[in-house]
Structure formats: C-alpha cells, structure tokens
Amino acid sequence: MPAICGSYARGKVMRLTRLDECGTPVPGPTGTLVTKGFVSVGMTPNYQDPEEVTQADANGDLCIDDQGRPALRWVDLSMVFCNIDPEAINIITGNPLVVNDATPTPSSVGWRLDGDLTGTANFGLEVWSGKTGQSCGTGGLEYGYWLWPYVVQARIGEATIANAALTLTLTARTSTGSGWGVGPYDVTKSAVTPFPEGPLATAIGAAQHQHFEVTTVAPPTPGCGAIALAAPAEGLVAAQVLEPA
C-alpha cells in the first residue's frame, strides 16, 4: 500500500493528560497541560530476553537449539525540562502543589517532593516533532505525532543549581491496559476533502505502549499551567468501549 515517509527533527510541543487508575483520561478543570518548555524526551523499550532451550547429543553436537521471542515489558521514558511548570510536575509525578494566597483563585507557585505521593500519578504523554524538507500541501504541514497512552511511576531525577542553566529530568515508564481508547483530542485529519479533524482512527489496544503517525493537525498551543479537559463526547466513549484489545 502507499506509505508516507519522512525525516523528523526538533520537538515542537508536549501535552500531558491526567489519567485515572485504569489509564483513562480524567475530565476536569486541570486535566491537561501543553508546554514547549522541554529539552528532550527519550524513549527506550525494555524487553525480557527470550528463553533459550538447547540440548547436545551424545557426540556433543547441538541437537536442539530453540529460542522464544523477546517480550516487551514497557517503554522507559526520560523527560528533560528547561521551563519548570509546577502543574506539569504534579500531573507527571503526583507530588503536591504549593499555592499562594491570591484571590479569588490561588496560583501554583511550586511543589513539594512527598514520599507518600511520588510516583502515584498516571498520565498520557503526547509529543509533536517537526518534519524536514517539506512544503505546504493541500492538507497542511505534516508533523510526527508520538503518543505514550499510559505512563506510570514517574520520579524526579538529579538537578544542579549553579552558574548554568537549570534543567530537571523526570523518568517514568509505560504500562499495559491503557484506557486511552481513541483519545480525548482531535489529532488526525482525514485524507479526503474537506479534511475533517478527529481522534485516532482506531483505539489503543491493551498491549500497546506507544503510537506514532504522521499528522497534518497542528500542535496545540503551549501555555503555563494546566487547563480544563472536557468530558468525552458520547461517540468517543463508545469507540473506546467497543474497540477490541
């Protein structure tokens, strides 16, 4: 079948989405956050080595030589931030926010590293990357769209305060059993005129840790702090429920 290929460079924006204990997006006033204040997102699949079965014959020659397949356990993620957003830290790690006394609505001014709450948050992670050497077509510019639909067990890594730029590294891993479904956002665009936008074409399966596709839907607008995530439309709920794992 025809394929869309390309070379990709630079990270455009990142979007975080709060998830519940089943990996399902949680609607609410601070359910999602978009930022461009990151340096990199590293991804490393973690595999269990295949089991080997060997047996030599009476002459010492290999009689049986069999090997299973490697099992994908999860994807290790490393996120390096150069713009520290307290609400992003809260969404990723579960650590509590520090707020001021502004009225009528306090502002988030920091967070606390809490031994009881670190690593308790579940979140979805999306990243848009640029595509090199392209010109605008009828469908618009193309981007690489990366999705890790169910991320867990995040922790804050080392940081140094010095006569240098301060960056903060957070690590986490993906999990099986995602409840992302087709997602709560329009991230794809039909290839057929009039090019309507919509969510993923098919729901994320229970064993799927990572998703990538080329999209002509522009990245969301970054900001500071979390914003509201609306409840899913009735059709999206049905798509999530009916899609086989």
Side-chain angles (χ1 to χ4, degrees):
M1 65 177 67
I4 298 175
C5 304
S7 299
Y8 299 90
R10 307 184 188 279
K12 299 299 184 181
V13 300
M14 167 194 294
R15 180 162 60 196
L16 305 167
T17 303
R18 295 187 192 274
L19 305 179
D20 64 17
E21 65 277 5
C22 298
T24 302
V26 180
T30 61
T32 184
L33 184 149
V34 180
T35 180
K36 68 182 300 293
F38 66 101
V39 178
S40 63
V41 174
M43 57 194 110
T44 305
N46 186 301
Y47 296 95
Q48 177 177 308
D49 291 335
E51 184 176 344
E52 296 183 356
V53 178
T54 60
Q55 178 63 57
D57 62 18
N59 190 49
D61 298 322
L62 200 58
C63 177
I64 297 175
D65 186 7
D66 186 63
Q67 187 180 75
R69 66 177 183 85
L72 177 62
R73 302 172 69 193
W74 56 73
V75 178
D76 288 307
L77 296 171
S78 176
M79 298 156 282
V80 181
F81 290 89
C82 58
N83 185 349
I84 311 304
D85 187 326
E87 296 189 355
I89 303 300
N90 172 253
I91 292 174
I92 294 172
T93 68
N95 282 298
L97 291 168
V98 176
V99 299
N100 64 15
D101 59 355
T103 57
T105 305
S107 298
S108 301
V109 296
W111 78 91
R112 290 181 176 174
L113 189 58
D114 189 314
D116 290 332
L117 295 176
T118 291
T120 59
N122 305 319
F123 65 99
L125 173 64
E126 300 162 276
V127 175
W128 281 256
S129 58
K131 186 177 181 182
T132 64
Q134 63 170 317
S135 57
C136 289
T138 55
L141 288 174
E142 294 178 346
Y143 301 89
Y145 172 71
W146 303 82
L147 165 67
W148 296 270
Y150 193 5
V151 188
V152 301
Q153 297 181 359
R155 61 189 74 180
I156 298 174
E158 294 184 9
T160 301
I161 301 171
N163 183 25
L166 188 149
T167 60
L168 191 62
T169 300
L170 282 73
T171 58
R173 71 171 181 87
T174 62
S175 176
T176 57
S178 169
W180 188 264
V182 295
Y185 311 106
D186 289 342
V187 294
T188 64
K189 186 181 292 186
S190 173
V192 180
T193 306
F195 310 116
E197 296 183 0
L200 297 177
T202 58
I204 296 293
Q208 295 173 345
H209 293 258
Q210 180 175 304
H211 171 94
F212 170 81
E213 70 175 278
V214 181
T215 182
T216 52
V217 175
T221 302
C224 179
I227 58 176
L229 176 63
E234 190 171 327
L236 294 188
V237 174
Q240 291 176 5
V241 172
L242 296 177
E243 177 67 23

